[in-house]
Amino acid sequence: MQKPSIPKGTRDFGPAQVARRQHIFNVIRRTFESFGFAPLETPTLENLSVLTGKYGDEGDQLLFKVLNSGDFAKDVTAEDLATGSKALLPKVAEKGLRYDLTVPFARYVAMNRGTLTFPFKRYQMQPVWRADRPQRGRYREFYQCDADVVGTDSLLCEAEIVLMIAQVLGGLGLHDFTIKINHRGVLRNIYQALGGEGRETDLFVAIDKLDKIGRDGVTKELLERGFSAPIIETLFELLGVEGDYEEKLARLLAGFVTAGVEPDGTRPDDDNEEAAANYRGLTELATVRDLLVASGFKQFDRLEFDPTLARGLSYYTGCIFEVKINNVQMGSVSGGGRYDNLTGSFGLPGVSGVGFSFGVDRLYDCLEALDLFTATAETPTRCLITHFDGASGRAALPLLAQLRAAGIPSELYPDATKLQKQFKYADAKGIPLVIVLGPEELAAGVAKIKIMASGVERVLPLAEVVAALTV
Amino acid sequence: MQKPSIPKGTRDFGPAQVARRQHIFNVIRRTFESFGFAPLETPTLENLSVLTGKYGDEGDQLLFKVLNSGDFAKDVTAEDLATGSKALLPKVAEKGLRYDLTVPFARYVAMNRGTLTFPFKRYQMQPVWRADRPQRGRYREFYQCDADVVGTDSLLCEAEIVLMIAQVLGGLGLHDFTIKINHRGVLRNIYQALGGEGRETDLFVAIDKLDKIGRDGVTKELLERGFSAPIIETLFELLGVEGDYEEKLARLLAGFVTAGVEPDGTRPDDDNEEAAANYRGLTELATVRDLLVASGFKQFDRLEFDPTLARGLSYYTGCIFEVKINNVQMGSVSGGGRYDNLTGSFGLPGVSGVGFSFGVDRLYDCLEALDLFTATAETPTRCLITHFDGASGRAALPLLAQLRAAGIPSELYPDATKLQKQFKYADAKGIPLVIVLGPEELAAGVAKIKIMASGVERVLPLAEVVAALTV
């Protein structure tokens, strides 16, 4: 007899967990839809030709590959076997499991370019799979919730990302958060202020580690990459500007002017004359802030312009975002940014857009750590009808039907058994109300209602029960 | 440049399709929860040791297997390769994709036996994968929606399955349906009436094909299996009893008595003295009907006792169900039954229960064939605000925030472009309302609202727009 188990890095979600996760999904979905994002779902299985090469070498290794069906080994030769797994792979597997939601979205846009109306705003909430080493907060099967707009470069999209993040976190009861925002143009200007050109990526990658390895670590890495000590000094001066959002913009502007960085032009449709002159990154960050003010956004104490935010992924080209919950020890729960070329590798160049993602599993862990979940019941049932025998059970059926019709999820205990056992069932499942309908109650035409949390009991005429519970 | 594609038998679901599918899921979920079923989710990846051997040889071949990560071929020898795929498989793959929801549920119950409260009522709505040959209505990735109760043999569960099926189909606007019900005990009694014993399964399997191969085909198959012509004649007499639900019960009872079939006893908790004597199948079917009457069920014209219903799966032991939509050419959209031993293969014998399943993809096709979907929009957005330039766009932001706060999913067209293009966007996405907010309107403190379906326009003071749209 086998002892059953589930693969490492995967989880079963019992009733209470599913209810809590659904709560998170609902808040995110409601917010996305309120902002006009439409749902998209793509298959779990994608062709490996679509997935491979999109996530770097490490990503390719973390892809779950699916064996071809039927006689999968029929084309494998002894030489293939001798060469090893890498040579074998293309002969035995042509499909893999979704690794993120961005590549399938890009594939979808490229495949449906002819029928989509742009700007195209889509959200997607689906699981992804990575053959990563499982550890605390890292799973092999986990959910992402992405929202992207493609086909417009309006900065309204960036402002609305901030609004959506604040709305989702507020909706979940998370109030102590920081939305960090930066712009790849700012990082590029900083790099130009150092007198360099063309090696921004090196710099972004090093700065991205500031959080983890600190200033000393980054300094060491930059020295190794050939940057000089005075340059690194200037770098940290610029990265370390102090003040609020607008003060930092002004100080960086002064720093760029002093360093002789050439302006790179405003955006053609930008009408914010007072924005931070002609450096695109600073201008756009100023515009995003203005749009937020105009939208009635009030939480500027939770929006931090952080010139050290780099986000490793090299495809970002404009604003970038990252969100932390401050009162929990946890990595970022959301992040994203603007990119210039989503679908280029699928034959459709020039599709730019901006998007962001929530990590549901991390949000779940934050809410649990802060004890913010209210739903703890093991069942949706609000009301259990108990009974004594077949006759009183049968007499309860009309009431059961009325309760359900009134929108109150309800159960009749299915077996005629001791009342104590039926109450124990309600207790174990977290059912808040128990109706006792025994021979006595039936004879008197009443029902006894017990509120489980307080132990309070009320006796009501049978005909008034539903009305009393729906008030 | 690669041309992107998706694996055969899989589908992308665009916004309108997701919205329609969500509608189906919502109706099913609401019904399941109203009856006290709690949600469960299990991982996509299961160990092959859990899946293999549960679905027959054909099922094993249709399982999608996932390559072990890393150097998957390291243990494969030249001899393995020479022996073929079957010998190779255990060395290169130890995980597979979920094939149905029943085996993972059984695995879950067995693994969590110590903490679950029984009766345990769970529903599960998740995709499953089968490496089947794709064809119309058959996909390699598709959703199942299951609800099961384990740990009770109360026939209330059977009655509630009928109620739930009727509620879901009614909720979807499907009214011309037939719920077929039968009982494995009836089939066994019929078999006994033929003078046989011990080869029920042969009979079930043959009868199960009646729909497809007709009476002649079944006759031929039974002759081949060694049943005599007079016996087959009696068989079809019993299977062909006419009348309504109760008449068929009475006529079968008479047939069993005449044939000298020994009664197999009533259920211990059955208090329905008038039920069809002591044949368990007939008794239980009568009790289910009585419970439905007591529950206020009115659709007995849609509930058919069909003694020919067999359902191939051999693990059913009591009532069995199957549901057809009559005015659409389509296989069954729902089915299920009672089983005695769900978790035996996982070391937990004696867990009996009853469950059923909806096929979402078939329901979708029925609703589409009958033109019953109301949601056709490509976006959740109810209201698009159009504008002329940065200034009027910015001036629209407070209204945009108010609309969203009032629960009206809304968008501001992100770019300042021709009004015509903005209207075209609303039209293509199926957005029902467009608000025009140009310099003229702003100067006058009004907004023009156009109802896209009728073309009717209204001009309202800016401050009254939200109230007018939320009435």
Side-chain angles (χ1 to χ4, degrees), chain A residues 2 5-6 12-13 15 33-37 39 41 43-44 47 49 65 67 71 73 85 107 119 121 141 152 154 160 380-381 404 409-411 414-415 425, chain B residues 2 5-6 12-13 15 33-37 39 41 43-44 47 49 65 67 71 73 85 107 119 121 141 152 154 160 380-381 404 409-411 414-415 425:
Chain A
Q2 59 176 300
S5 65
I6 52 175
D12 286 319
F13 296 114
E33 296 203 343
S34 153
F35 281 75
F37 288 80
E41 292 183 4
T44 296
N47 289 319
S49 58
K65 290 109 184 168
L67 264 183
D71 187 7
S85 294
R107 193 240 337 120
K121 301 171 78 166
E141 174 172 352
T152 172
S154 167
E160 293 199 334
T381 300
R404 288 172 179 165
S410 299
E411 285 179 65
D415 302 299
Y425 174 85
Chain B
Q2 59 177 298
S5 65
I6 52 175
D12 287 318
F13 297 114
E33 296 203 342
S34 152
F35 281 76
F37 288 80
E41 291 182 6
T44 296
N47 290 320
S49 58
K65 292 107 184 170
L67 265 183
D71 187 8
S85 294
R107 193 244 331 122
K121 301 170 79 167
E141 174 171 353
T152 171
S154 168
E160 293 198 333
T381 300
R404 288 173 179 163
S410 299
E411 287 179 63
D415 302 299
Y425 175 85

Coordinates of all heavy atoms in Angstrom, one line a residue, chain A residues 2 5-6 12-13 15 33-37 39 41 43-44 47 49 65 67 71 73 85 107 119 121 141 152 154 160 380-381 404 409-411 414-415 425, chain B residues 2 5-6 12-13 15 33-37 39 41 43-44 47 49 65 67 71 73 85 107 119 121 141 152 154 160 380-381 404 409-411 414-415 425:
Chain A
Q2 N 0.7 2.1 -1.0 CA 1.5 3.3 -1.1 C 1.1 4.3 -0.1 O -0.1 4.5 0.3 CB 1.5 3.9 -2.5 CG 0.1 4.3 -2.9 CD 0.1 4.9 -4.3 OE1 0.7 6.0 -4.4 NE2 -0.6 4.3 -5.2
S5 N 1.7 11.2 -1.3 CA 2.4 12.4 -1.0 C 2.3 13.3 -2.2 O 1.8 12.9 -3.3 CB 3.9 12.2 -0.7 OG 4.5 11.7 -1.9
I6 N 2.6 14.6 -2.0 CA 2.6 15.5 -3.2 C 4.1 16.0 -3.5 O 4.9 15.9 -2.6 CB 1.7 16.8 -2.9 CG1 2.0 17.5 -1.6 CG2 0.3 16.4 -3.0 CD1 1.2 18.7 -1.4
D12 N -1.4 21.5 -1.2 CA -2.8 21.5 -1.3 C -3.4 22.7 -0.5 O -2.8 23.1 0.5 CB -3.3 20.2 -0.5 CG -3.1 18.9 -1.3 OD1 -3.3 18.9 -2.5 OD2 -2.7 17.9 -0.6
F13 N -4.5 23.3 -1.0 CA -5.1 24.3 -0.3 C -6.5 23.8 0.2 O -7.4 23.6 -0.6 CB -5.3 25.6 -1.2 CG -4.0 26.2 -1.6 CD1 -3.6 26.1 -3.0 CD2 -3.1 26.7 -0.7 CE1 -2.4 26.7 -3.3 CE2 -1.9 27.2 -1.1 CZ -1.5 27.2 -2.4
P15 N -10.1 24.1 2.5 CA -11.2 25.1 2.4 C -10.9 26.5 2.9 O -11.1 27.5 2.2 CB -12.3 24.5 3.2 CG -12.1 23.0 3.1 CD -10.6 22.9 3.0
E33 N -10.3 45.3 -12.8 CA -11.5 45.5 -13.7 C -12.0 46.9 -13.5 O -12.5 47.6 -14.5 CB -12.6 44.5 -13.4 CG -12.1 43.1 -13.7 CD -13.3 42.1 -14.0 OE1 -14.4 42.4 -13.6 OE2 -13.0 41.0 -14.6
S34 N -12.0 47.5 -12.3 CA -12.4 48.8 -12.1 C -11.6 49.8 -13.0 O -12.1 50.9 -13.4 CB -12.3 49.2 -10.6 OG -12.1 50.5 -10.4
F35 N -10.3 49.5 -13.3 CA -9.5 50.3 -14.1 C -9.5 49.9 -15.6 O -8.7 50.3 -16.4 CB -8.0 50.3 -13.6 CG -7.8 51.1 -12.4 CD1 -8.3 50.8 -11.1 CD2 -7.1 52.4 -12.5 CE1 -8.1 51.6 -10.0 CE2 -6.9 53.2 -11.4 CZ -7.4 52.8 -10.2
G36 N -10.5 49.0 -15.9 CA -10.7 48.7 -17.3 C -9.8 47.6 -17.9 O -9.7 47.5 -19.1
F37 N -9.1 46.8 -17.0 CA -8.3 45.7 -17.5 C -9.2 44.5 -17.8 O -10.1 44.2 -16.9 CB -7.2 45.4 -16.6 CG -6.1 46.4 -16.6 CD1 -6.3 47.6 -15.8 CD2 -5.0 46.2 -17.3 CE1 -5.3 48.6 -15.9 CE2 -4.0 47.2 -17.3 CZ -4.1 48.4 -16.6
P39 N -9.8 40.4 -18.6 CA -9.1 39.1 -18.3 C -8.6 38.3 -19.5 O -9.3 38.3 -20.6 CB -10.2 38.3 -17.6 CG -11.5 38.8 -18.1 CD -11.2 40.3 -18.4
E41 N -6.7 34.4 -20.4 CA -6.1 33.1 -19.8 C -5.4 32.4 -20.9 O -6.0 32.3 -22.0 CB -7.2 32.3 -19.2 CG -7.8 32.9 -17.9 CD -8.9 32.0 -17.3 OE1 -9.1 30.8 -17.8 OE2 -9.5 32.4 -16.3
P43 N -2.9 28.9 -22.0 CA -2.8 27.5 -21.6 C -1.6 27.2 -20.7 O -0.6 28.0 -20.7 CB -2.6 26.7 -22.9 CG -2.8 27.6 -24.0 CD -2.7 29.0 -23.5
T44 N -1.8 26.2 -19.8 CA -0.7 25.8 -19.0 C 0.5 25.3 -19.8 O 1.7 25.6 -19.5 CB -1.2 24.7 -18.0 OG1 -2.2 25.2 -17.2 CG2 0.0 24.1 -17.2
N47 N 4.4 25.6 -26.1 CA 5.5 25.0 -26.9 C 6.9 25.5 -26.3 O 7.0 26.6 -26.0 CB 5.4 25.3 -28.4 CG 4.2 24.6 -29.0 OD1 4.0 23.5 -28.7 ND2 3.5 25.3 -29.9
S49 N 9.4 25.9 -27.9 CA 10.0 27.0 -28.8 C 9.6 28.4 -28.4 O 10.2 29.3 -28.7 CB 9.5 26.7 -30.3 OG 8.1 26.7 -30.3
K65 N 9.6 20.6 -18.3 CA 9.4 20.2 -19.6 C 8.5 18.9 -19.6 O 8.6 18.1 -18.7 CB 10.7 19.8 -20.3 CG 11.5 21.0 -20.7 CD 12.8 21.1 -19.8 CE 13.6 22.3 -20.1 NZ 14.6 22.5 -19.0
L67 N 7.1 15.4 -21.2 CA 7.4 14.3 -22.1 C 6.4 14.3 -23.3 O 5.2 14.3 -23.1 CB 7.4 13.0 -21.4 CG 8.7 12.5 -20.9 CD1 8.5 11.1 -20.2 CD2 9.8 12.4 -21.9
D71 N 5.2 6.9 -27.7 CA 6.5 6.3 -27.7 C 7.6 7.4 -27.8 O 8.2 7.6 -28.8 CB 6.7 5.3 -28.8 CG 8.0 4.5 -28.8 OD1 8.7 4.6 -27.7 OD2 8.2 3.8 -29.7
A73 N 10.5 7.9 -26.8 CA 12.0 7.6 -27.0 C 12.3 7.1 -28.4 O 13.4 6.7 -28.6 CB 12.5 6.7 -25.9
S85 N 21.7 14.8 -21.4 CA 20.3 15.3 -21.3 C 20.1 16.4 -22.3 O 19.0 16.5 -22.9 CB 20.0 15.8 -19.9 OG 20.1 14.7 -19.0
R107 N 3.2 36.3 -26.6 CA 2.9 35.3 -27.7 C 1.4 35.6 -28.1 O 1.1 35.6 -29.3 CB 3.0 33.9 -27.1 CG 3.0 32.8 -28.2 CD 1.9 31.8 -28.0 NE 1.3 31.5 -26.7 CZ 0.0 31.7 -26.5 NH1 -0.8 32.1 -27.5 NH2 -0.5 31.4 -25.3
P119 N -5.2 50.8 -27.5 CA -4.4 50.1 -26.5 C -5.2 48.9 -25.9 O -6.4 48.9 -25.8 CB -4.3 51.2 -25.4 CG -4.7 52.5 -26.0 CD -5.5 52.2 -27.2
K121 N -5.6 46.4 -22.8 CA -5.4 46.3 -21.4 C -5.8 45.0 -20.9 O -7.0 44.6 -20.9 CB -6.2 47.4 -20.7 CG -5.9 48.8 -21.1 CD -6.9 49.8 -20.5 CE -6.6 50.1 -19.0 NZ -7.4 51.3 -18.6
E141 N 5.0 25.7 -7.7 CA 3.8 26.1 -8.4 C 3.2 27.3 -7.6 O 2.9 27.1 -6.4 CB 2.8 24.9 -8.4 CG 1.4 25.2 -8.9 CD 0.5 24.0 -9.0 OE1 1.1 22.8 -8.9 OE2 -0.6 24.1 -9.3
T152 N 0.3 52.1 -26.0 CA 0.3 53.5 -25.7 C 1.5 53.8 -24.8 O 1.9 53.0 -24.0 CB -1.0 53.9 -24.9 OG1 -0.9 55.3 -24.5 CG2 -1.2 53.0 -23.7
S154 N 1.3 56.6 -22.9 CA 0.8 57.6 -22.0 C 1.2 57.3 -20.5 O 1.1 56.2 -20.1 CB -0.8 57.6 -22.0 OG -1.3 58.3 -20.9
E160 N -1.7 55.2 -13.0 CA -2.8 54.2 -12.6 C -2.2 53.0 -11.9 O -2.9 52.3 -11.1 CB -3.7 53.9 -13.8 CG -4.5 55.2 -14.2 CD -5.7 54.9 -15.1 OE1 -5.7 53.8 -15.8 OE2 -6.6 55.7 -15.1
P380 N -18.3 27.3 3.6 CA -19.1 28.5 3.3 C -20.4 28.4 4.1 O -21.1 29.4 4.1 CB -19.4 28.4 1.8 CG -19.2 27.0 1.4 CD -18.2 26.4 2.4
T381 N -20.8 27.3 4.7 CA -22.1 27.1 5.3 C -22.2 28.1 6.5 O -21.4 28.3 7.3 CB -22.2 25.7 5.9 OG1 -22.1 24.8 4.8 CG2 -23.5 25.5 6.6
R404 N -31.6 28.5 1.6 CA -30.7 28.6 0.4 C -31.2 29.6 -0.6 O -30.5 30.4 -1.1 CB -30.6 27.3 -0.2 CG -29.7 26.3 0.6 CD -29.8 24.9 0.0 NE -28.9 24.0 0.8 CZ -29.0 22.7 0.8 NH1 -29.9 22.1 0.0 NH2 -28.2 21.9 1.5
P409 N -26.0 30.1 2.6 CA -25.5 28.7 2.4 C -25.9 27.9 3.7 O -25.5 28.3 4.8 CB -24.0 28.9 2.3 CG -23.9 30.3 1.7 CD -25.0 31.1 2.4
S410 N -26.5 26.8 3.5 CA -27.1 26.0 4.6 C -26.9 24.5 4.3 O -26.9 24.1 3.2 CB -28.5 26.4 4.9 OG -28.6 27.7 5.2
E411 N -26.9 23.8 5.4 CA -26.8 22.3 5.4 C -27.8 21.7 6.4 O -28.0 22.3 7.4 CB -25.4 21.8 5.8 CG -24.4 22.0 4.8 CD -23.0 21.4 5.4 OE1 -22.9 20.2 5.6 OE2 -22.1 22.3 5.6
P414 N -26.6 15.3 7.5 CA -27.2 14.3 6.6 C -27.7 13.0 7.3 O -28.6 12.3 6.9 CB -26.0 13.9 5.7 CG -24.8 14.3 6.4 CD -25.1 15.5 7.2
D415 N -27.1 12.7 8.5 CA -27.5 11.5 9.2 C -28.3 11.8 10.5 O -28.0 12.8 11.1 CB -26.2 10.7 9.5 CG -25.4 10.3 8.3 OD1 -26.0 9.7 7.4 OD2 -24.3 10.8 8.2
Y425 N -19.8 18.9 14.7 CA -19.6 19.2 13.3 C -19.6 20.7 13.0 O -18.7 21.2 12.4 CB -20.6 18.4 12.5 CG -20.6 18.6 11.0 CD1 -19.8 17.9 10.2 CD2 -21.5 19.6 10.4 CE1 -19.8 18.0 8.8 CE2 -21.5 19.7 9.0 CZ -20.7 19.0 8.2 OH -20.7 19.1 6.9
Chain B
Q2 N 10.7 33.2 -35.2 CA 9.7 32.1 -35.1 C 8.3 32.6 -35.2 O 8.0 33.8 -34.8 CB 9.9 31.4 -33.7 CG 9.7 32.3 -32.6 CD 9.8 31.6 -31.2 OE1 9.0 30.7 -31.0 NE2 10.8 32.0 -30.4
S5 N 3.0 29.7 -31.8 CA 1.8 28.9 -31.8 C 1.5 28.3 -30.4 O 2.4 28.4 -29.5 CB 1.9 27.8 -32.8 OG 3.0 26.9 -32.4
I6 N 0.4 27.7 -30.2 CA 0.1 27.0 -28.9 C -0.1 25.5 -29.2 O -0.4 25.1 -30.3 CB -1.1 27.5 -28.2 CG1 -2.3 27.6 -29.1 CG2 -0.8 28.9 -27.6 CD1 -3.6 28.0 -28.3
D12 N -6.2 29.6 -26.0 CA -6.2 30.9 -25.3 C -7.7 31.4 -25.1 O -8.5 31.2 -26.0 CB -5.5 32.0 -26.1 CG -4.0 31.8 -26.2 OD1 -3.4 31.5 -25.2 OD2 -3.4 32.0 -27.3
F13 N -7.9 32.0 -24.0 CA -9.3 32.6 -23.8 C -9.1 34.1 -23.7 O -8.5 34.6 -22.7 CB -9.9 32.0 -22.5 CG -10.2 30.5 -22.6 CD1 -9.5 29.6 -21.7 CD2 -11.1 30.0 -23.5 CE1 -9.7 28.3 -21.8 CE2 -11.3 28.6 -23.5 CZ -10.6 27.8 -22.7
P15 N -10.7 38.1 -23.6 CA -11.5 38.7 -22.5 C -13.0 38.3 -22.6 O -13.5 37.9 -21.5 CB -11.4 40.2 -22.9 CG -10.1 40.3 -23.5 CD -9.8 39.1 -24.3
E33 N -21.6 26.3 -3.0 CA -21.5 26.9 -1.7 C -22.8 27.0 -1.0 O -22.9 26.8 0.3 CB -20.8 28.2 -1.8 CG -19.3 28.1 -2.3 CD -18.4 29.2 -2.0 OE1 -18.9 30.3 -1.6 OE2 -17.2 29.0 -2.1
S34 N -23.9 27.3 -1.7 CA -25.2 27.4 -1.1 C -25.6 26.1 -0.4 O -26.3 26.0 0.5 CB -26.2 27.8 -2.2 OG -27.5 27.4 -1.9
F35 N -25.0 25.0 -1.0 CA -25.3 23.6 -0.4 C -24.3 23.2 0.6 O -24.2 22.0 1.0 CB -25.5 22.6 -1.5 CG -26.8 22.7 -2.2 CD1 -27.2 23.7 -3.1 CD2 -27.8 21.7 -1.9 CE1 -28.4 23.7 -3.7 CE2 -29.1 21.8 -2.5 CZ -29.4 22.8 -3.4
G36 N -23.4 24.1 1.0 CA -22.4 23.8 2.0 C -21.2 23.1 1.6 O -20.4 22.5 2.4
F37 N -20.9 23.1 0.3 CA -19.6 22.5 -0.2 C -18.5 23.5 -0.1 O -18.7 24.7 -0.4 CB -19.8 22.0 -1.6 CG -20.6 20.7 -1.7 CD1 -22.0 20.8 -1.7 CD2 -20.0 19.5 -1.8 CE1 -22.8 19.7 -1.8 CE2 -20.8 18.3 -1.9 CZ -22.2 18.5 -1.9
P39 N -14.5 24.8 -0.8 CA -13.5 24.6 -1.9 C -12.2 23.9 -1.5 O -11.7 24.1 -0.4 CB -13.2 26.1 -2.3 CG -13.5 26.9 -1.0 CD -14.6 26.2 -0.3
E41 N -8.3 23.0 -3.4 CA -7.5 23.1 -4.6 C -6.2 22.2 -4.4 O -5.6 22.2 -3.4 CB -7.0 24.5 -4.9 CG -8.2 25.4 -5.4 CD -7.8 26.8 -5.7 OE1 -6.6 27.1 -5.7 OE2 -8.7 27.6 -6.0
P43 N -2.5 20.5 -6.2 CA -1.5 21.0 -7.2 C -1.7 20.4 -8.6 O -2.3 19.3 -8.7 CB -0.2 20.4 -6.6 CG -0.5 19.9 -5.3 CD -1.9 19.7 -5.2
T44 N -1.3 21.1 -9.6 CA -1.3 20.6 -11.0 C -0.4 19.4 -11.1 O -0.7 18.4 -11.8 CB -0.8 21.7 -11.9 OG1 -1.7 22.8 -11.8 CG2 -0.6 21.2 -13.3
N47 N 2.6 13.3 -8.0 CA 3.6 12.2 -8.2 C 2.9 11.1 -9.1 O 1.8 10.8 -8.9 CB 4.0 11.6 -6.9 CG 4.9 12.6 -6.1 OD1 5.7 13.2 -6.7 ND2 4.7 12.6 -4.8
S49 N 3.4 8.1 -8.9 CA 3.0 7.0 -8.1 C 1.5 7.1 -7.6 O 0.9 6.2 -7.4 CB 3.9 6.9 -6.9 OG 3.9 8.1 -6.1
K65 N 3.3 13.3 -18.6 CA 4.4 13.1 -17.7 C 5.4 14.3 -17.8 O 5.7 14.8 -18.9 CB 5.1 11.8 -17.9 CG 4.3 10.6 -17.6 CD 3.8 9.9 -18.8 CE 2.9 8.7 -18.5 NZ 2.3 8.2 -19.8
L67 N 9.2 15.8 -17.3 CA 10.6 15.3 -17.2 C 11.2 15.8 -15.8 O 11.0 16.9 -15.4 CB 11.4 16.0 -18.3 CG 11.6 15.3 -19.6 CD1 12.6 16.1 -20.5 CD2 12.3 13.9 -19.3
D71 N 19.7 17.0 -14.8 CA 20.3 16.0 -15.8 C 19.4 14.8 -15.8 O 19.7 13.7 -15.2 CB 21.7 15.7 -15.3 CG 22.4 14.8 -16.3 OD1 21.8 14.6 -17.4 OD2 23.5 14.4 -16.0
A73 N 18.6 12.5 -17.8 CA 19.0 11.2 -18.4 C 20.1 10.5 -17.7 O 20.6 9.5 -18.2 CB 19.3 11.4 -19.9
S85 N 10.4 3.0 -24.5 CA 9.9 4.1 -23.7 C 9.4 3.7 -22.4 O 9.5 4.4 -21.4 CB 8.8 4.9 -24.5 OG 9.3 5.5 -25.6
R107 N -6.5 11.3 -2.7 CA -5.2 11.4 -2.1 C -5.2 12.4 -0.9 O -4.6 12.2 0.1 CB -4.2 11.9 -3.2 CG -2.8 11.7 -2.9 CD -2.0 13.0 -2.8 NE -2.4 14.1 -3.6 CZ -2.7 15.3 -3.1 NH1 -2.7 15.5 -1.8 NH2 -3.0 16.3 -3.9
P119 N -19.0 14.3 8.0 CA -18.9 14.2 6.6 C -18.1 15.4 6.0 O -18.3 16.5 6.5 CB -20.4 14.3 6.1 CG -21.2 14.1 7.3 CD -20.4 14.3 8.5
K121 N -17.5 17.7 2.8 CA -18.2 18.1 1.6 C -17.2 19.1 0.9 O -17.0 20.2 1.3 CB -19.5 18.9 1.8 CG -20.5 18.1 2.6 CD -21.7 18.9 3.1 CE -22.7 19.2 1.9 NZ -24.0 19.7 2.4
E141 N -6.4 20.2 -22.4 CA -6.5 21.0 -21.2 C -7.9 21.5 -21.0 O -8.4 22.2 -21.9 CB -5.5 22.2 -21.2 CG -5.6 23.1 -20.0 CD -4.5 24.1 -20.0 OE1 -3.6 24.1 -20.8 OE2 -4.5 25.0 -19.1
T152 N -20.7 9.8 4.6 CA -22.1 9.5 5.0 C -22.7 8.8 3.9 O -22.4 8.9 2.7 CB -22.9 10.9 5.2 OG1 -24.3 10.5 5.4 CG2 -22.7 11.8 4.0
S154 N -26.1 8.9 3.6 CA -27.4 9.5 3.6 C -27.9 9.8 2.2 O -27.1 10.4 1.4 CB -27.5 10.8 4.4 OG -28.6 11.5 4.1
E160 N -29.8 16.0 -3.1 CA -29.2 17.4 -3.3 C -28.4 17.5 -4.5 O -28.3 18.6 -5.1 CB -28.4 17.7 -2.0 CG -29.3 17.9 -0.8 CD -28.7 18.7 0.4 OE1 -27.4 18.7 0.5 OE2 -29.4 19.3 1.1
P380 N -14.3 44.8 -19.1 CA -15.2 45.1 -18.0 C -15.6 46.5 -18.0 O -16.6 46.9 -17.3 CB -14.5 44.7 -16.8 CG -13.0 44.7 -17.2 CD -12.9 44.5 -18.6
T381 N -14.9 47.4 -18.7 CA -15.2 48.8 -18.7 C -16.6 49.2 -19.1 O -17.1 48.7 -20.1 CB -14.2 49.6 -19.6 OG1 -12.9 49.3 -19.2 CG2 -14.4 51.1 -19.6
R404 N -15.0 55.2 -10.6 CA -14.5 54.0 -10.1 C -14.9 53.7 -8.6 O -15.2 52.6 -8.2 CB -12.9 54.0 -10.2 CG -12.5 53.8 -11.7 CD -11.0 54.0 -11.8 NE -10.5 53.8 -13.2 CZ -9.4 54.2 -13.6 NH1 -8.5 54.9 -12.8 NH2 -9.1 54.0 -14.9
P409 N -16.6 50.4 -13.5 CA -15.3 50.3 -14.1 C -15.2 51.3 -15.3 O -16.0 51.3 -16.1 CB -15.3 48.8 -14.6 CG -16.3 48.1 -13.7 CD -17.3 49.1 -13.4
S410 N -14.1 52.1 -15.2 CA -14.0 53.2 -16.2 C -12.6 53.4 -16.6 O -11.7 53.0 -15.9 CB -14.5 54.5 -15.5 OG -15.9 54.4 -15.1
E411 N -12.5 54.0 -17.8 CA -11.2 54.3 -18.4 C -11.2 55.7 -18.9 O -12.2 56.2 -19.4 CB -10.9 53.4 -19.6 CG -10.6 52.0 -19.3 CD -10.3 51.2 -20.6 OE1 -9.3 51.6 -21.3 OE2 -11.1 50.3 -20.9
P414 N -6.1 56.9 -23.0 CA -4.8 57.3 -22.5 C -4.1 58.4 -23.3 O -3.3 59.1 -22.8 CB -4.0 56.0 -22.4 CG -4.6 55.1 -23.4 CD -6.1 55.5 -23.4
D415 N -4.4 58.4 -24.6 CA -3.7 59.4 -25.5 C -4.6 60.5 -25.9 O -5.8 60.3 -26.1 CB -3.1 58.7 -26.7 CG -2.2 57.5 -26.2 OD1 -1.2 57.9 -25.6 OD2 -2.5 56.4 -26.5
Y425 N -12.6 52.9 -30.4 CA -12.0 52.1 -29.3 C -13.2 51.6 -28.5 O -13.3 50.4 -28.2 CB -11.0 52.9 -28.5 CG -10.5 52.2 -27.3 CD1 -9.4 51.4 -27.4 CD2 -11.0 52.5 -26.0 CE1 -8.9 50.8 -26.2 CE2 -10.5 51.9 -24.9 CZ -9.4 51.0 -25.0 OH -8.9 50.4 -23.8

